[in-house]
Amino acid sequence: MKKPLIGITPLVDTARESYWMLPGYMKGLEEAGSVTVMLPLVDEEASLEQLADLCDGFLFAGGHDVSPAVYGEATTRQCGECSSARDRMETVLLNLVLRRDKPIFGICRGLQFINAALGGTLYQDLPTERPSEILHHQTPPYDRPAHMVKILEGSPLYQLLGKEVLPVNSYHHQAVKELSPSLQPMAYSEDGLVEAVCLPNARFLWAVQWHPEFSYRTDENSKKIFAHFISCCCL
């Protein structure tokens, strides 16, 4: 049986003028039954149209902070490094893939970007804008749990995992502030941050704030989420 092809948005190293990829994004999805490819950083619609047609599903990966320009706010001093090229590329790609109703999965920045692109807003820096005793920016090893999330009963994530509470790893300083009116929450952190979302009536659009690309080898729930995404790419 032919494996689905998953396009993964590239990570960007501005200082080295390079694009790169964490192996967990690719290996996690490959072990779930797919073939993966890192996408080029282009924003020309014709090129992204070809990629949107070619791939069976798309992973919006972690990385740079989402520019506040995406959600119409001024940049604060606490905002981290942004990549305008990546923001432009992902804006075009997201719209093209949504129009084709192909599966989309977002991780960390992926959740934040999808929320911002669909009309939501972000905290630019949690420690200064929304301080908490919950550990959202853990130190290595990144495959160990940092805090718990509460999964909303009846949500697609609850239906998949059958759990109300889930231990997750965490490595971020930005987060959803106002949730996009298009999205529905699926999980919250102990201090009330949105940790997982879905787009109702889409074939598959899920995004999580934690990092299954680090935990999939040791955590069955991460494996199940990757496997479910890939199964939807086979439909």
Side-chain angles (χ1 to χ4, degrees), residues 20-102:
W20 64 287
M21 182 56 54
L22 283 166
Y25 290 120
M26 307 186 98
K27 292 296 184 183
L29 294 178
E30 288 164 4
E31 290 188 17
S34 70
V35 176
T36 60
V37 62
M38 186 179 80
L39 299 175
L41 191 65
V42 295
D43 59 13
E44 180 191 25
E45 186 162 349
S47 297
L48 291 173
E49 287 256 12
Q50 282 187 255
L51 294 168
D53 289 335
L54 175 67
C55 295
D56 300 297
F58 295 84
L59 172 64
F60 283 68
H64 280 81
D65 283 3
V66 177
S67 172
V70 175
Y71 48 96
E73 293 188 5
T75 303
T76 68
R77 281 195 290 178
Q78 289 75 32
C79 185
E81 183 181 359
C82 302
S83 170
S84 58
R86 187 171 174 189
D87 290 336
R88 290 193 303 270
M89 178 259 195
E90 292 189 359
T91 298
V92 177
L93 180 66
L94 179 64
N95 289 328
L96 291 171
V97 179
L98 285 173
R99 289 209 297 266
R100 287 160 173 76
D101 197 24
K102 290 192 173 183

Side-chain angles (χ1 to χ4, degrees), residues 126-187:
L126 286 174
T128 55
E129 296 181 47
R130 200 180 186 277
S132 170
E133 294 182 359
I134 301 301
L135 181 63
H136 289 291
H137 197 271
Q138 71 185 93
T139 56
Y142 296 120
D143 62 347
R144 61 187 170 91
H147 64 79
M148 308 295 287
V149 300
K150 179 175 176 56
I151 301 175
L152 300 186
E153 187 173 354
S155 69
L157 185 60
Y158 180 88
Q159 293 170 9
L160 175 67
L161 301 180
K163 299 176 182 292
E164 293 183 2
V165 179
L166 186 70
V168 298
N169 53 6
S170 190
Y171 188 75
H172 63 107
H173 85 113
Q174 295 198 323
V176 171
K177 184 177 182 180
E178 296 177 7
L179 186 62
S180 160
S182 300
L183 299 172
Q184 285 187 357
M186 296 197 294

Side-chain angles (χ1 to χ4, degrees), residues 218-230:
T218 57
D219 177 50
E220 287 299 319
N221 298 301
S222 297
K223 291 180 183 179
K224 286 181 180 179
I225 292 171
F226 274 158
H228 183 55
F229 168 49
I230 297 306

Side-chain angles (χ1 to χ4, degrees), residues 200-212:
N201 301 318
R203 179 171 157 194
F204 181 95
L205 189 157
W206 286 18
V208 299
Q209 186 59 70
W210 61 90
H211 288 272

